[in-house]
Structure formats: structure tokens, C-alpha cells
Amino acid sequence: MRGFEEAVARVGRLPRDNLNEYGFDPFGFSPDFVARIAPLAHVVYRRYFRAAAYGIEKVPTGRVILVANHSGQIPIDGMIIACAMMLDAEPPRMVRSMVEKFVPALPFVSYFMSRTGQVVGTPDNCVRLLERDETILAFPEGVAGISKTFSKRYQLQEFGHGFMRLALQTRSPIVPVAVIGGEEQAPSLYNSRAIARLFAAPSFPITPTLLPLPVKYRLYFGEPMRFKGDAEAEDRQIEPKVRSVRSTLQALVHRGLRERRHVFW
Amino acid sequence: MPYDPEGAVLVTGIAGRLGRLVASRLHREVQVVGLDRRPFPGRPKDVKHYQIDIRRKKVEELFERERIRAVVHMAIVHDPRLDAEEHHSVNVIGTRRVLDLVLKHGVRKVVVLSSATVYGPRADNTQFITEDTPLLGAERHGDLRDLVQVDLYANTFLWKQPEVETVVLRPVHIVGDVGSPASNYLRLPRFPVVMGFDPMIQVIHAEDVVAAMMASLRPGVRGVFNVVGPDGIPLSRLLREIGRPLVPIPGPLLTAGLFCMVDGERFARDVGFRPRLSLRDVIAVYRDAAAQPARARR
């Protein structure tokens, strides 16, 4: 029960100066709504996944882009990072992550995402959020990361360049975040492209688990990385910067794997 | 008749509630001439009213007789429930006729009242749509087609006719003492809502729309502008603040329950427009409106 109260109290410490008189930001985010689900976040984060965040104090104040490896078939990794920033960071922060473009058309899911601060992943939305000094979460591997099979676990897939252009345009620091545990929560043996096409879904993993397994999640936050340059530059000029983030993140992932003694505790 | 900087401002669609609001504000400063096929009850004495259908040839006589220096064109039907053909001809043919006459009679300023719905409510919209975004409103919502057409026509006019200061205003949902679809909805005794959806909605008070038109009439103002009021709010919260019951109705998946939101920064920056009325003012209008049904429009 103390955990519940603490979780709610931490949500209560979120800044309110960027909200309107009814407690919403222009994107529809509502700390009051988040406070209502904070106890659930506490249970999932602390009890079910027994998550641990290392180096979270390295996240600088003000605008920042968290760049993480993507895994686990369903985006629980994003939720874990968001819980960490809310329940373990000082002061608590709300992570704004990007959702797929079909999400606003889904009943219930649409407004749940909106009230919890998640926005459709258009470049314009990201820029606006960063200019409001928000914390953005990006998975540069995209679907290729989350839907990879168990045999490719913890191998970073190709990175998109969008996050780097955003960082350059808005002069935002990048903090790499290695997520350890996600690959084992729902091991995918096979990704059926045929079925995915049938449902117009990005992937259709074949996994033996119905619910994500109660693996222990570990998050490793790296040092902030700052880049300078033209956001509109050619791909070949952006590429080396992206590669340096990718290799830093891969090293962080390897460190996390080395330090891990067991998947479940 | 040659251009006269002291001439009158023609307001089309003047007999509607928004039109009357514009007239009452405008006639204190300039000579106002009205054009509407409806009578204009409670018309200020110094406003001259021509009760003609905008599609009629006789409209030209008005331009010949009056010295018109500016046109505020709001004879545009935004209510999709009206007969589609009628709708189309009033909106598209009416707008074309007005802009032709503007050109022919050397009018230097025309303000066209479009609306922010022309961008189209789409799931993949960015949160705040800017003026350069393509108008996809008609793609899935056939009833928006003629509004998009009117807007595009006014846009073309803007770029083709540099000597006319054309202003296209795209306000968000207009509320207050007007008969707009949004306003009629907010007067209902209970609010049907689409189950599972709670989109952000932007509203603007009619008084602020009038202020936006006044600002657009200033010399030098030209271009396409989104016009926004106070910050957006989830629809359910707005309805709950108004204080009447919500009735969730299962809706078709994937297209239901979406609005588009726009960025009003350009109008704020270039023209200095700031809405005066807050969400609280808007909510106050509808709190007391429970018993009165929407007034008949014509």
C-alpha cells in the first residue's frame, strides 16, 4: 500500500505549469489520469517485472531523447522505461513516446494513449514536444527490433536516422538506454509475414507464451551524448553520428548481459 | 465603379447568427452592406440589406450600385445535413460568383470563412496541423467535398490575384450564440458520444471569430490562416463541465471519433490575433442552454 501511495505522490510532483486550467496539455496528456493508473504501474514495474534502473541520474534536466533497444513483441519495454522515469528518477518525469499512426483510430486505446502522454509519431509532434522540454523515447530499430525472433536476441537491428535529425534540429541530448529482459518475456520462434499481411499488422510473432513472462527487467542508462550539425544534411553525414549512438547502446546492452546472473532474478 | 477606400464592406450570409454578429460589430466602424437570401431581422438602421440568393444574376447590381471596398464571404453552408446539391451550388457556385465580382469591380480585400475541418479528421494526422498541409477532408468524408473546394478555390484566387488582399480563415469549431453544428451539438439535452473515443477538441467563441474577421480586414493582411481559440480539451471533459449526461453509442471502427487539431501560430504571429474568450466562457454559454433547443436557422 505504501508503494501505491508513493507512486501516486510521485505523479503529483510532475510539473503543471504547461497544462491548461483543466489539467491537460495541448496533446491531451493528463497527470491526473496518470495518477489513477500509478498503482497499477507500481505493481507491474516493481512486483511483476521487479525492474531495476541503473544510472538513471545521468538523464539531464530539460529536453532529452532516450534511445533504447526494442524487444519483446509487445512494447512493454517502453512502458518499463516510462515507469522508471516516473518511479525511480529524481524529479519524476513523464516519458512521451511515439505510437503508430493507426492508434488514434482504436477505441479505448486511443484515449488511454493520449491521456498518458503518448503521441502519434510524426516528426512535427516530436519537435513540438522537445521544444516544450519534454522527455522523448525513441526506438530507432522500429518494428525490426521489437518483432525479431529469439535467435537474434540483443542484436541491434538497423537504426533509422529520424531521432538524430530531431536531436540536431532541437539541440537535444541523447541518452542511450539498454533494456535487458525484454527479449525473454515472450520469445518469438517465428515471425509469420503471411499472417501479418493478412491482418495488415507489422508482424505476427509465434510465441509459446500468452502473457509476458515475469522476467526481471534491467535498465542501463548511458552518459548523455550531444551532437552538432545540420539536421537537413545528407544521410551520409548523419550516418556516422547514428552509428556512434548505436555502438554505444550495443556496448551498454553487452554490459547489462554480462552483469546479469539470471533471467528471472 | 472605381475602388473607393471609404467604401462599404459587403457581408454575404449576413442574416445568419454569425453574420449578424459580424454586422453588429462592423457597422460601428464602416458602412456595411448585407447579402443573404433570408430576411435580416433586427437589422441596424445603417446596414443596407439585399435579400437576394447569392447565385442570382441580380447580385451584380449590388456591386454596381454600392461602392464595395471589401467583402466578407460567409455565405457558406457548413451543415452537412442539408440537401447535397443545394449545398454544393450555394458553396461552390456562390463563392465563384462572389470572387468573380470582386475581381470585376476592383474590390481590394476579400475574407473567406472556411473551416479547420477541411484538413480532414484522420488518425495519422499530426497533432497540430499547419496551413501548408494538403486538404484531405474530402477523401473519406464526402460531405466535406464542397467546403474543400471552396477553400481551394479561394486559395487559387489568393495566388492568382496579387492585387486583391485575399484572406482565407480556417477557424476551429465555432461555438457561442451561433447555429454551427458544434454549437447545436453542445445545446443538446444529452450528448451522444462515440464509445471508446475521447478526442481532443478545439473550439473558438463566435466573438473571437468576429475579432479574427475584423483583424483580417486590416490593410496588408493577406494569406491562409488557421484560427484557434483556447487550448484544446478532451471532448468528454468539455461535455462534463457543461454538465449534461453523456450517452455512449457504439460507432463504426476506425473512422469514428476523430477530430483534427490545428496550429494557430501563423495568425498569432503575422496578424497578432489572440483569442479573448476562454474555455470557461465557452462552457458557461452552454451550461444554461439545456432547455432551449437550437433555434431554427431559416
Side-chain angles (χ1 to χ4, degrees), chain A residues 215-238:
Chain A
V215 293
K216 182 176 174 71
Y217 263 94
R218 292 172 176 82
L219 304 180
Y220 290 84
F221 289 78
E223 296 294 338
M225 304 172 80
R226 291 185 168 83
F227 294 90
K228 282 205 184 92
D230 179 11
E232 305 290 321
E234 299 283 321
D235 270 356
R236 61 189 157 75
Q237 284 158 286
I238 301 285

Short mmCIF file of all heavy atoms in Angstrom, two decimals, chain A residues 215-238:
data_model
loop_
_atom_site.label_atom_id
_atom_site.label_comp_id
_atom_site.label_asym_id
_atom_site.label_seq_id
_atom_site.Cartn_x
_atom_site.Cartn_y
_atom_site.Cartn_z
N VAL A 215 9.95 -11.91 -16.32
CA VAL A 215 11.40 -11.77 -16.33
C VAL A 215 11.77 -10.58 -15.46
O VAL A 215 10.92 -9.75 -15.13
CB VAL A 215 11.91 -11.52 -17.76
CG1 VAL A 215 11.68 -12.74 -18.63
CG2 VAL A 215 11.24 -10.29 -18.37
N LYS A 216 13.05 -10.49 -15.06
CA LYS A 216 13.48 -9.29 -14.36
C LYS A 216 14.00 -8.29 -15.39
O LYS A 216 14.86 -8.63 -16.20
CB LYS A 216 14.58 -9.60 -13.35
CG LYS A 216 15.03 -8.38 -12.54
CD LYS A 216 16.06 -8.74 -11.47
CE LYS A 216 16.61 -7.51 -10.78
NZ LYS A 216 15.65 -6.83 -9.89
N TYR A 217 13.42 -7.09 -15.38
CA TYR A 217 13.86 -6.04 -16.31
C TYR A 217 14.99 -5.24 -15.68
O TYR A 217 14.91 -4.84 -14.51
CB TYR A 217 12.70 -5.10 -16.63
CG TYR A 217 11.99 -5.42 -17.94
CD1 TYR A 217 10.86 -6.23 -17.96
CD2 TYR A 217 12.47 -4.91 -19.14
CE1 TYR A 217 10.21 -6.52 -19.16
CE2 TYR A 217 11.82 -5.19 -20.34
CZ TYR A 217 10.69 -5.99 -20.34
OH TYR A 217 10.06 -6.27 -21.51
N ARG A 218 16.02 -5.01 -16.46
CA ARG A 218 17.11 -4.14 -16.01
C ARG A 218 17.31 -3.06 -17.05
O ARG A 218 17.37 -3.35 -18.24
CB ARG A 218 18.41 -4.94 -15.86
CG ARG A 218 18.41 -5.95 -14.73
CD ARG A 218 19.68 -6.79 -14.81
NE ARG A 218 19.76 -7.73 -13.67
CZ ARG A 218 19.12 -8.90 -13.61
NH1 ARG A 218 18.34 -9.29 -14.61
NH2 ARG A 218 19.26 -9.67 -12.55
N LEU A 219 17.41 -1.82 -16.58
CA LEU A 219 17.66 -0.70 -17.48
C LEU A 219 19.03 -0.10 -17.18
O LEU A 219 19.35 0.14 -16.01
CB LEU A 219 16.60 0.40 -17.30
CG LEU A 219 15.14 -0.01 -17.45
CD1 LEU A 219 14.24 1.21 -17.24
CD2 LEU A 219 14.88 -0.60 -18.83
N TYR A 220 19.82 0.11 -18.20
CA TYR A 220 21.13 0.74 -18.04
C TYR A 220 21.13 2.06 -18.81
O TYR A 220 21.01 2.06 -20.03
CB TYR A 220 22.25 -0.17 -18.56
CG TYR A 220 22.46 -1.37 -17.68
CD1 TYR A 220 21.69 -2.52 -17.83
CD2 TYR A 220 23.45 -1.37 -16.69
CE1 TYR A 220 21.86 -3.62 -17.00
CE2 TYR A 220 23.64 -2.47 -15.86
CZ TYR A 220 22.85 -3.59 -16.02
OH TYR A 220 23.03 -4.68 -15.22
N PHE A 221 21.22 3.16 -18.07
CA PHE A 221 21.25 4.48 -18.71
C PHE A 221 22.70 4.87 -18.97
O PHE A 221 23.54 4.78 -18.07
CB PHE A 221 20.58 5.53 -17.82
CG PHE A 221 19.08 5.37 -17.74
CD1 PHE A 221 18.51 4.39 -16.93
CD2 PHE A 221 18.24 6.18 -18.49
CE1 PHE A 221 17.13 4.23 -16.86
CE2 PHE A 221 16.86 6.03 -18.42
CZ PHE A 221 16.30 5.05 -17.61
N GLY A 222 22.98 5.32 -20.19
CA GLY A 222 24.35 5.74 -20.54
C GLY A 222 24.54 7.23 -20.32
O GLY A 222 23.61 7.95 -19.92
N GLU A 223 25.76 7.70 -20.60
CA GLU A 223 26.06 9.13 -20.49
C GLU A 223 25.33 9.87 -21.61
O GLU A 223 25.20 9.35 -22.72
CB GLU A 223 27.57 9.37 -20.64
CG GLU A 223 28.43 8.76 -19.55
CD GLU A 223 28.20 9.39 -18.18
OE1 GLU A 223 27.71 10.55 -18.15
OE2 GLU A 223 28.48 8.73 -17.16
N PRO A 224 24.88 11.11 -21.34
CA PRO A 224 24.25 11.89 -22.41
C PRO A 224 25.23 12.14 -23.56
O PRO A 224 26.41 12.38 -23.32
CB PRO A 224 23.89 13.22 -21.73
CG PRO A 224 24.16 13.06 -20.29
CD PRO A 224 24.93 11.81 -20.06
N MET A 225 24.72 12.03 -24.78
CA MET A 225 25.55 12.28 -25.96
C MET A 225 25.00 13.52 -26.65
O MET A 225 23.81 13.64 -26.88
CB MET A 225 25.48 11.08 -26.92
CG MET A 225 25.89 9.77 -26.26
SD MET A 225 25.58 8.34 -27.34
CE MET A 225 27.01 8.43 -28.43
N ARG A 226 25.89 14.46 -26.96
CA ARG A 226 25.44 15.71 -27.61
C ARG A 226 26.05 15.79 -29.00
O ARG A 226 27.23 15.53 -29.18
CB ARG A 226 25.83 16.91 -26.76
CG ARG A 226 25.02 16.97 -25.46
CD ARG A 226 25.32 18.23 -24.66
NE ARG A 226 24.32 18.39 -23.59
CZ ARG A 226 24.41 17.76 -22.42
NH1 ARG A 226 25.41 16.94 -22.17
NH2 ARG A 226 23.47 17.94 -21.50
N PHE A 227 25.23 16.16 -29.97
CA PHE A 227 25.69 16.23 -31.35
C PHE A 227 25.43 17.61 -31.92
O PHE A 227 24.47 18.27 -31.53
CB PHE A 227 24.98 15.18 -32.21
CG PHE A 227 25.33 13.77 -31.81
CD1 PHE A 227 24.57 13.10 -30.86
CD2 PHE A 227 26.41 13.13 -32.37
CE1 PHE A 227 24.88 11.81 -30.48
CE2 PHE A 227 26.74 11.84 -31.99
CZ PHE A 227 25.97 11.17 -31.05
N LYS A 228 26.31 18.02 -32.84
CA LYS A 228 26.10 19.29 -33.54
C LYS A 228 26.09 19.00 -35.03
O LYS A 228 26.74 18.07 -35.49
CB LYS A 228 27.25 20.26 -33.22
CG LYS A 228 27.10 20.91 -31.85
CD LYS A 228 27.85 22.25 -31.82
CE LYS A 228 27.80 22.87 -30.44
NZ LYS A 228 28.97 22.48 -29.62
N GLY A 229 25.38 19.84 -35.76
CA GLY A 229 25.38 19.67 -37.21
C GLY A 229 24.04 20.07 -37.79
O GLY A 229 23.12 20.47 -37.07
N ASP A 230 23.96 19.94 -39.11
CA ASP A 230 22.77 20.34 -39.85
C ASP A 230 21.76 19.20 -39.85
O ASP A 230 22.07 18.10 -40.29
CB ASP A 230 23.20 20.71 -41.28
CG ASP A 230 22.01 21.12 -42.13
OD1 ASP A 230 20.91 21.31 -41.56
OD2 ASP A 230 22.18 21.24 -43.35
N ALA A 231 20.56 19.51 -39.35
CA ALA A 231 19.53 18.47 -39.30
C ALA A 231 19.07 18.05 -40.69
O ALA A 231 18.52 16.97 -40.87
CB ALA A 231 18.34 18.97 -38.47
N GLU A 232 19.31 18.92 -41.68
CA GLU A 232 18.84 18.63 -43.04
C GLU A 232 19.96 18.02 -43.89
O GLU A 232 19.82 17.92 -45.11
CB GLU A 232 18.36 19.92 -43.71
CG GLU A 232 17.30 20.68 -42.94
CD GLU A 232 15.97 19.96 -42.93
OE1 GLU A 232 15.62 19.41 -44.00
OE2 GLU A 232 15.30 19.92 -41.90
N ALA A 233 21.08 17.67 -43.27
CA ALA A 233 22.23 17.18 -44.02
C ALA A 233 21.91 15.86 -44.73
O ALA A 233 20.91 15.21 -44.45
CB ALA A 233 23.42 17.00 -43.09
N GLU A 234 22.80 15.51 -45.67
CA GLU A 234 22.66 14.24 -46.40
C GLU A 234 22.77 13.06 -45.42
O GLU A 234 23.41 13.17 -44.39
CB GLU A 234 23.78 14.11 -47.43
CG GLU A 234 23.81 15.19 -48.49
CD GLU A 234 22.76 14.96 -49.56
OE1 GLU A 234 22.54 13.79 -49.93
OE2 GLU A 234 22.13 15.94 -49.99
N ASP A 235 22.17 11.96 -45.83
CA ASP A 235 22.22 10.76 -44.99
C ASP A 235 23.64 10.37 -44.61
O ASP A 235 23.90 9.96 -43.48
CB ASP A 235 21.56 9.58 -45.73
CG ASP A 235 20.07 9.50 -45.41
OD1 ASP A 235 19.61 10.32 -44.58
OD2 ASP A 235 19.37 8.65 -46.00
N ARG A 236 24.57 10.51 -45.57
CA ARG A 236 25.94 10.04 -45.28
C ARG A 236 26.61 10.88 -44.19
O ARG A 236 27.57 10.46 -43.57
CB ARG A 236 26.78 9.96 -46.54
CG ARG A 236 26.97 11.27 -47.24
CD ARG A 236 27.64 11.09 -48.61
NE ARG A 236 27.34 12.21 -49.47
CZ ARG A 236 27.90 13.40 -49.33
NH1 ARG A 236 28.81 13.62 -48.41
NH2 ARG A 236 27.54 14.39 -50.13
N GLN A 237 26.11 12.12 -43.99
CA GLN A 237 26.67 12.93 -42.90
C GLN A 237 26.02 12.61 -41.56
O GLN A 237 26.60 12.81 -40.51
CB GLN A 237 26.50 14.42 -43.22
CG GLN A 237 27.49 14.90 -44.26
CD GLN A 237 26.98 16.16 -44.93
OE1 GLN A 237 26.06 16.11 -45.75
NE2 GLN A 237 27.57 17.28 -44.57
N ILE A 238 24.78 12.12 -41.62
CA ILE A 238 24.06 11.77 -40.40
C ILE A 238 24.51 10.39 -39.91
O ILE A 238 24.62 10.13 -38.72
CB ILE A 238 22.53 11.76 -40.68
CG1 ILE A 238 22.06 13.12 -41.18
CG2 ILE A 238 21.74 11.32 -39.45
CD1 ILE A 238 21.95 14.21 -40.16
#
